[in-house]
């Protein structure tokens, strides 16, 4: 109910301020899916998170991206930002990836990302190789490239920018899926793309450090069996309570760790 209320507040505020009924439907739908997923998870349903991933990710990719022709990738954010327009991708990024993580951390990555929605279907849900820490710099390269690309298009005064943005959306998603699948098999890790290449994490990581919704560890109950570390898809040092724990801003709130903890130290 709290999750639904949070998104409903966003929905109503945007509906009234933008005078557009679409925002009431859009955020009510997303909040509703998250709420249903939470209920299913609490009831012990195995595929609760996958339900939300498919319901929200497919809606955003197919309806908003393909049918409505809105570029919801990072290039679309830069495009609307430079236009000075608080619409589409700019609203999406503010709610889900810039301010939202203060409340729900990297929940976007775990429950709504249409790229991860596909990557999570691959066979390596538990990373089979150690994390390659130095490769994380590639996300900043991708971030800078996306920014430079859109700046270049504006400087060249490209006509029909809306059309160009749509084709960039298609090309970007093909690239993300292809590289994401290749990295998953190369590193034997479904979430390799998220860890090393995804440019959106440059926005997500700083605010996620302060996330209200996070996995807590009662270290007095922890027996250091490391089961939580073995199942964590993002290599978070989840058996520590401190926000300074290793990879603390990488948690996608999948709660796989809480399912395997034998002493219920995680919650």
């Amino acid at each position: 109910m709290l999750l639904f209320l949070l998104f409903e507040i966003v929905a109503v505020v945007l509906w009234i301020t933008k005078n557009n009924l679409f925002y009431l439907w859009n955020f009510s739908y997303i909040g509703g899916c998250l709420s249903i997923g939470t209920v299913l998870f609490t009831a012990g349903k195995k595929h609760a998170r996958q339900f939300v991933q498919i319901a929200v990710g497919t809606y955003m990719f197919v309806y908003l991206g393909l049918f409505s022709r809105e570029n919801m990738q990072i290039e679309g954010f830069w495009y609307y930002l430079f236009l000075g327009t608080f619409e589409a991708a700019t609203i999406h990024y503010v709610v889900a990836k810039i301010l939202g993580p203060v409340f729900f951390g990297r929940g976007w990555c775990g429950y709504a990302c249409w790229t991860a929605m596909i990557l999570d279907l691959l066979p390596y849900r538990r990373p089979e190789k150690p994390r390659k820490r130095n490769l994380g710099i590639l996300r900043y390269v991708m971030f800078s490239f996306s920014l430079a690309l859109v700046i270049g298009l504006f400087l060249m005064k490209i006509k029909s920018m809306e059309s160009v943005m749509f084709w960039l959306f298609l090309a970007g998603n093909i690239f993300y899926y292809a590289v994401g699948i290749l990295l998953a098999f190369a590193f034997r890790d479904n979430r390799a793309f998220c860890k090393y290449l995804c440019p959106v994490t440059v926005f997500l990581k700083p605010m996620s450090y302060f996330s209200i919704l996070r996995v807590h560890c009662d270290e007095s109950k922890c027996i250091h069996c490391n089961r939580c570390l073995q199942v964590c898809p993002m290599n978070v040092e989840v058996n520590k309570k401190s926000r300074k724990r290793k990879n603390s801003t990488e948690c996608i709130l999948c709660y796989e760790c809480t399912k395997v903890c034998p002493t219920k130290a995680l919650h």
Side-chain angles (χ1 to χ4, degrees):
M1 289 302 295
L2 287 173
L3 275 175
F4 182 74
L5 179 60
L6 176 63
F7 277 86
E8 199 63 18
I9 290 172
V10 174
V12 172
V13 169
L14 288 174
W15 169 37
I16 294 173
T17 57
K18 304 297 291 185
N19 193 27
N20 190 337
L21 193 61
F22 164 77
Y23 294 111
L24 182 63
W25 146 255
N26 181 72
F27 287 100
S28 295
Y29 172 79
I30 294 172
C33 290
L34 287 168
S35 299
I36 293 171
T38 303
V39 170
L40 292 174
F41 176 83
T42 305
K45 302 301 180 182
K46 185 176 181 181
H47 300 293
R49 185 171 67 89
Q50 285 68 34
F51 159 76
V52 182
Q53 277 185 305
I54 294 170
V56 177
T58 303
Y59 161 72
M60 297 193 71
F61 178 71
V62 176
Y63 177 72
L64 298 182
L66 300 182
F67 291 167
S68 300
R69 298 175 68 90
E70 292 183 2
N71 188 329
M72 305 299 287
Q73 302 279 47
I74 192 169
E75 293 82 14
F77 169 72
W78 297 129
Y79 171 64
Y80 285 106
L81 185 67
F82 294 153
L83 286 179
T85 305
F86 191 58
E87 295 284 352
T90 45
I91 292 177
H92 165 65
Y93 269 71
V94 168
V95 173
K97 300 168 181 175
I98 297 176
L99 297 181
V102 174
F103 298 96
F104 45 77
R106 292 275 293 273
W108 160 262
C109 305
Y111 294 83
C113 177
W114 55 84
T115 304
M117 174 183 74
I118 300 299
L119 298 180
D120 277 353
L121 298 176
L122 299 177
Y124 306 112
R125 296 182 182 180
R126 300 182 180 186
E128 295 186 9
K129 291 185 178 181
R131 189 179 182 119
K132 308 289 185 182
R133 297 200 61 82
N134 293 335
L135 290 183
I137 196 173
L138 293 176
R139 62 166 66 102
Y140 299 100
V141 174
M142 288 288 293
F143 182 88
S144 302
F145 175 77
S146 68
L147 176 58
L149 174 62
V150 178
I151 290 175
L153 291 173
F154 272 101
L155 291 177
M156 290 187 289
K157 298 181 179 179
I158 300 294
K159 295 181 179 179
S160 304
M161 278 288 283
E162 289 285 345
S163 179
V164 171
M165 283 295 111
F166 175 68
W167 287 106
L168 279 178
F169 174 77
L170 295 179
N173 276 285
I174 291 172
F175 174 75
Y176 282 4
Y177 284 129
V179 174
I181 292 171
L182 287 174
L183 288 176
F185 282 94
F187 291 99
R188 304 177 74 82
D189 180 357
N190 287 357
R191 289 278 177 161
F193 174 83
C194 311
K195 297 172 183 176
Y196 309 127
L197 207 59
C198 180
V200 178
T201 58
V202 177
F203 285 123
L204 288 165
K205 286 172 67 67
M207 304 306 285
S208 295
Y209 181 83
F210 305 99
S211 175
I212 295 173
L213 186 62
R214 58 194 296 264
V215 175
H216 295 269
C217 178
D218 183 345
E219 294 189 46
S220 65
K221 294 182 179 180
C222 180
I223 59 174
H224 303 288
C225 63
N226 291 337
R227 293 184 187 178
C228 55
L229 305 182
Q230 293 167 7
V231 301
C232 179
M234 298 300 290
N235 306 109
V236 178
E237 191 181 24
V238 73
N239 59 353
K240 301 290 184 182
K241 184 173 179 61
S242 171
R243 290 185 184 271
K244 296 181 180 180
R245 60 192 179 189
K246 190 175 180 181
N247 301 323
S248 64
T249 60
E250 300 281 296
C251 178
I252 61 172
L253 299 176
C254 66
Y255 293 109
E256 292 299 320
C257 55
T258 66
K259 297 177 184 177
V260 300
C261 181
T263 61
K264 307 300 179 185
L266 302 174
H267 61 279

